[in-house]
């Protein structure tokens, strides 16, 4: 069994706070961990056993969340928008990517690259809004 300086209940509490801050609910958080919502709810007080896949995913998510905080200067609105919006580099939203096997690490890697390339400057988490309705209208006018 792996030893960790972080008590399992503390890790679970930090994970809960992080996913709630990003606007996720228990069902969405359980999808990230690859477990059922009831399994996540049952471990809320005690946490997952140290060394389990769920425990490691929680730690990875918390690290990713801290990178997101540093790039957004703690702006929860910006963090939520970025986390739920389609990301060209990831070819999915960060939320959807986090549900993949190595998705949390891929999102964290992108945040690390952004932090290095932008040196933490504002705009690193810019979300490009794209309206399908406007695109469809423009596309139809081109073909008519």
């Amino acid at each position: 069994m792996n030893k960790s300086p972080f008590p399992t209940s503390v890790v679970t509490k930090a994970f809960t706070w992080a996913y709630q801050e990003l606007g996720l609910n228990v069902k969405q958080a359980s999808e990230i961990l690859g477990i059922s919502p009831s399994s996540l709810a049952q471990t809320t007080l005690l946490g997952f056993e140290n060394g389990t896949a769920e425990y490691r995913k929680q730690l990875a998510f918390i690290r990713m969340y801290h990178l997101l905080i540093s790039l957004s200067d703690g702006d929860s609105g910006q963090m939520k928008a970025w986390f739920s919006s389609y990301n060209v580099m990831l070819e999915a939203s960060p939320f959807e990517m986090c549900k993949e096997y190595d998705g949390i690490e891929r999102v964290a890697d992108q945040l690390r690259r952004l932090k290095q390339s932008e040196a933490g400057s504002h705009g690193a988490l810019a979300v490009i809004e794209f309206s399908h309705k406007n695109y469809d209208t423009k596309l139809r006018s081109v073909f008519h």
Side-chain angles (χ1 to χ4, degrees):
M1 183 192 295
N2 297 333
K3 295 289 181 191
S4 173
F6 308 111
T8 58
S9 61
V10 173
V11 170
T12 298
K13 183 68 174 170
F15 173 73
T16 301
W17 191 77
Y19 80 70
Q20 288 175 344
E21 184 73 13
L22 292 174
L24 304 180
N25 58 36
V26 171
K27 181 182 182 302
Q28 293 166 316
S30 66
E31 290 171 357
I32 289 172
L33 296 179
I35 59 174
S36 70
S38 61
S39 293
L40 181 57
Q42 290 171 0
T43 61
T44 300
L45 295 177
L46 298 177
F48 292 99
E49 186 175 327
N50 185 353
T52 62
E54 295 84 359
Y55 180 83
R56 289 190 305 271
K57 284 182 181 181
Q58 286 181 323
L59 284 175
F61 191 86
I62 293 162
R63 288 185 198 107
M64 182 267 316
Y65 174 75
H66 281 277
L67 285 166
L68 195 50
I69 288 173
S70 70
L71 283 165
S72 67
D73 290 329
D75 181 336
S76 61
Q78 184 182 27
M79 290 168 34
K80 287 177 188 176
W82 185 84
F83 193 72
S84 64
S85 298
Y86 182 83
N87 185 296
V88 175
M89 297 300 290
L90 297 172
E91 299 180 345
S93 72
F95 166 65
E96 290 299 324
M97 181 56 63
C98 282
K99 294 192 266 183
E100 300 295 324
Y101 172 73
D102 63 345
I104 297 171
E105 284 304 319
R106 289 182 62 194
V107 172
D109 287 344
Q110 186 191 15
L111 289 169
R112 283 185 205 96
R113 284 190 299 274
L114 284 172
K115 190 169 180 144
Q116 290 171 351
S117 68
E118 297 289 328
S121 69
H122 296 289
L125 294 179
V127 174
I128 300 171
E129 292 188 28
F130 181 80
S131 169
H132 293 289
K133 182 178 178 182
N134 291 341
Y135 178 75
D136 289 342
T137 303
K138 288 177 185 176
L139 192 59
R140 276 190 227 114
S141 66
V142 170
F143 289 113
H144 289 297

